[in-house]
Amino acid sequence: DPVTRIEGHAKISIFLDDAGEVENARFHVVEFRGFEKFCEGRPFPEMAGITARICGICPVSHLLASAKTGDKILAVKIPPAGEKLRRMMNLAQIIQSHSLSFFHLSSPDFLLGWDSDPAKRNVFGLIAADPDLARGGIRLRQFGQKIIELLGAKRIHPAWAVPGGVRFPLNEEGRTWIRERLPESRQTIETALTLFKQLLDRFTTEVEAFGKFPSLFMGLVTKKGDWEHYDGHIRFVDSEGKIVADHLSEDDYQDYLGEAVEAWSYLKFPYYKPLGYPDGIYRVGPLARLNICSKIGVPAADKELEEFRQRAGGIATSSFYYHYARLIEILAGVEFIEQLVNDPDIVSPRVRSDAGINQLEGIGVSEAPRGTLFHHYNVDDNGIIKKVNLIIATGQNNLAMNKTVTQIAQHYIHGNEIAEGLLNRVEAGIRAFDPCLSCSTHAAGQMP
């Protein structure tokens, strides 16, 4: 207490039996924020700007999910240019967030050692040990952040995506900057992927112990079943690669997703309803997205996906592979941005559809870096918010995070003499999921 190198505040309790063996471990989220409640009474067009303030790490995720919910309330189809611009911002968000997770938060464990001095086991220690890699990671994150700024006028909390589309397109100056930075960003992520694959050969124990268990995997895919991050439909796949449910709509999420509550955490426990709680455990995010898709749809990332699946032996069930999946998604993001930046629509002025209130309920879905994000709004005839429900990616991984820390603790901890490095490994199980706890602690109704 606290868990370090994550976004938000949490602690882990490890329970030992009389023989000093681990009986159980729990991941407690100890902060609470009531966005769902205090958004009531606000005009729905304000929701994108308000919910973006949930987090400074992934504001774009809430901005886009909220704007898509607003599209439903307006009952409009946004212009092609508006969708492409939203897609570009979401890809930039994935790049910057994944870069932060891998280079700043997790790579000190890989490159400096699980048992290294905790005072140096951070990004500053990484800068001292491998300045070129650290600088590359910082500039890769900057690439994503700068695209967000070029599109939305601000790097953090841009009020740019709105119900019906976006406020303005990319200008030619911004387009040129992106084109010029693409080669460097591509080189950095390819170098990081090569390095991590070399490290994987040394981390066979971690691959087996860091949350390797069967579960469902959920995320968005395209109509063809390819990797998706903005639109598409919901798919569930099991740990054998079998499609459990497909072509699910976000509008029906309450039919297949339940939310349980435990007395020891402010973070709820979503589960797949047909299997019940807690058997309906599922994972979301980069690992899930690579497990559920048929292919990514861009050449270099598809080649990496093929190798990823060969290394995992098919479906990747180890939570340690989240790091690997994150790097592949950064590469995919760079490739997709290269396609979009050369699309004429990116500078088209037709970016927003205008309409009035045509629906009193809207449910929007998008893929945040950490997984599938749902926004659900009910409004009155004047567009004033009556009720809000947010299902956050980190919450959907809650059952899996608790199972992961228990598995790691049971593998490494034996007896009451517990070295700091062993506790760091337990924490690292949480960092594999890259949780965003400020986003995740919301409540519909009474909390424990």
Side-chain angles (χ1 to χ4, degrees):
D1 180 13
V3 179
T4 59
R5 284 182 279 139
I6 63 168
E7 198 292 319
H9 306 289
K11 65 180 181 179
I12 297 170
S13 297
I14 300 169
F15 300 91
L16 307 181
D17 62 18
D18 292 339
E21 296 298 309
V22 175
E23 283 187 334
N24 192 18
R26 286 176 174 174
F27 175 60
H28 308 273
V29 178
V30 294
E31 61 177 308
F32 171 69
R33 305 165 82 228
F35 266 80
E36 289 168 323
K37 196 65 184 172
F38 66 64
C39 284
E40 292 173 9
R42 308 300 303 184
F44 84 93
E46 293 183 3
M47 288 296 288
I50 292 172
T51 57
R53 265 78 180 170
I54 290 173
C55 180
I57 303 295
C58 41
V60 169
S61 305
H62 292 286
L63 184 75
L64 295 181
S66 182
K68 289 184 72 180
T69 309
D71 298 343
K72 296 273 190 77
I73 292 171
L74 298 179
V76 296
K77 180 176 175 60
I78 74 170
E83 179 178 330
K84 290 172 184 177
L85 287 159
R86 284 184 183 180
R87 283 181 174 274
M88 180 180 276
M89 183 177 269
N90 203 36
L91 291 164
Q93 160 71 5
I94 288 170
I95 289 170
Q96 72 87 9
S97 179
H98 283 359
S99 299
L100 175 68
S101 172
F102 182 80
F103 291 97
H104 294 61
L105 305 181
S106 290
S107 66
D109 291 325
F110 311 145
L111 300 170
L112 305 178
W114 308 102
D115 303 296
S116 57
D117 180 0
K120 298 177 180 177
R121 198 173 57 220
N122 50 46
V123 69
F124 300 106
L126 183 64
I127 289 169
D130 194 336
D132 289 340
L133 181 70
R135 180 177 182 273
I138 290 167
R139 284 181 64 80
L140 186 60
R141 183 172 188 235
Q142 181 197 53
F143 173 68
Q145 291 281 70
K146 182 65 175 178
I147 293 174
I148 293 168
E149 183 181 14
L150 290 170
L151 290 169
K154 293 174 69 177
R155 292 188 180 202
I156 300 174
H157 306 145
W160 173 74
V162 290
V166 300
R167 292 185 188 276
F168 44 81
L170 181 67
N171 61 36
E172 284 293 347
E173 184 182 355
R175 195 184 205 181
T176 300
W177 185 92
I178 295 168
R179 281 176 174 154
E180 290 175 350
R181 278 290 289 271
L182 277 165
E184 179 192 330
S185 301
R186 175 78 171 259
Q187 181 60 51
T188 298
I189 186 54
E190 288 176 347
T191 300
L193 263 165
T194 300
L195 173 62
F196 188 74
K197 286 186 288 189
Q198 293 169 350
L199 290 171
L200 268 179
D201 297 332
R202 289 175 17 209
F203 289 145
T204 53
T205 301
E206 285 80 3
V207 169
E208 292 298 317
F210 278 46
K212 187 173 185 180
F213 49 80
S215 76
L216 298 179
F217 298 92
M218 187 196 85
L220 292 174
V221 292
T222 67
K223 290 180 180 178
K224 296 179 179 178
D226 293 353
W227 183 85
E228 180 58 285
H229 63 95
Y230 170 80
D231 210 355
H233 63 263
I234 299 287
R235 171 182 285 179
F236 281 88
V237 169
D238 68 15
S239 53
E240 302 298 321
K242 177 186 173 186
I243 296 176
V244 174
D246 205 0
H247 302 288
L248 298 175
S249 169
E250 67 274 16
D251 294 335
D252 305 319
Y253 79 92
Q254 291 169 314
D255 293 339
Y256 53 85
L257 294 184
E259 296 182 271
V261 171
E262 297 285 357
W264 41 268
S265 180
Y266 280 119
L267 184 53
K268 291 191 283 187
F269 292 78
Y271 60 95
Y272 180 59
K273 268 187 176 178
L275 294 182
Y277 178 80
D279 294 337
I281 179 174
Y282 66 97
R283 283 177 270 189
V284 297
L287 184 73
R289 289 190 288 259
L290 295 197
N291 278 336
I292 66 171
C293 70
S294 53
K295 67 180 191 300
I296 294 177
V298 278
D302 274 327
K303 187 176 178 183
E304 291 293 343
L305 176 62
E306 188 178 340
E307 184 177 347
F308 174 87
R309 289 176 172 170
Q310 287 173 349
R311 286 176 175 268
I315 296 295
T317 59
S318 171
S319 298
F320 193 76
Y321 270 82
Y322 266 99
H323 302 296
Y324 191 1
R326 230 166 251 126
L327 294 176
I328 295 172
E329 286 199 329
I330 293 174
L331 177 59
V334 172
E335 287 188 277
F336 278 118
I337 285 174
E338 188 170 8
Q339 290 181 359
L340 285 168
V341 80
N342 293 311
D343 190 311
D345 275 340
I346 289 298
V347 290
S348 167
R350 292 179 291 276
V351 296
R352 186 174 182 180
S353 300
D354 290 319
I357 298 161
N358 292 304
Q359 302 282 354
L360 298 182
E361 183 177 23
I363 300 171
V365 66
S366 185
E367 287 288 337
R370 291 152 186 84
T372 317
L373 171 64
F374 296 86
H375 278 220
H376 182 183
Y377 307 157
N378 293 90
V379 301
D380 66 14
D381 290 332
N382 296 313
I384 302 300
I385 294 285
K386 294 171 63 179
K387 185 179 178 182
V388 176
N389 190 34
L390 308 175
I391 302 186
I392 312 296
T394 294
Q396 295 176 79
N397 278 329
N398 200 8
L399 280 169
M401 288 190 292
N402 277 276
K403 194 162 186 173
T404 294
V405 293
T406 300
Q407 188 182 77
I408 297 171
Q410 288 173 339
H411 182 87
Y412 288 102
I413 294 174
H414 306 282
N416 292 315
E417 295 297 321
I418 303 171
E420 188 278 337
L422 299 181
L423 294 179
N424 182 44
R425 285 170 173 83
V426 178
E427 284 191 26
I430 295 300
R431 287 193 286 270
F433 291 88
D434 187 28
C436 186
L437 304 181
S438 295
C439 287
S440 63
T441 48
H442 306 278
Q446 183 67 39
M447 287 306 290

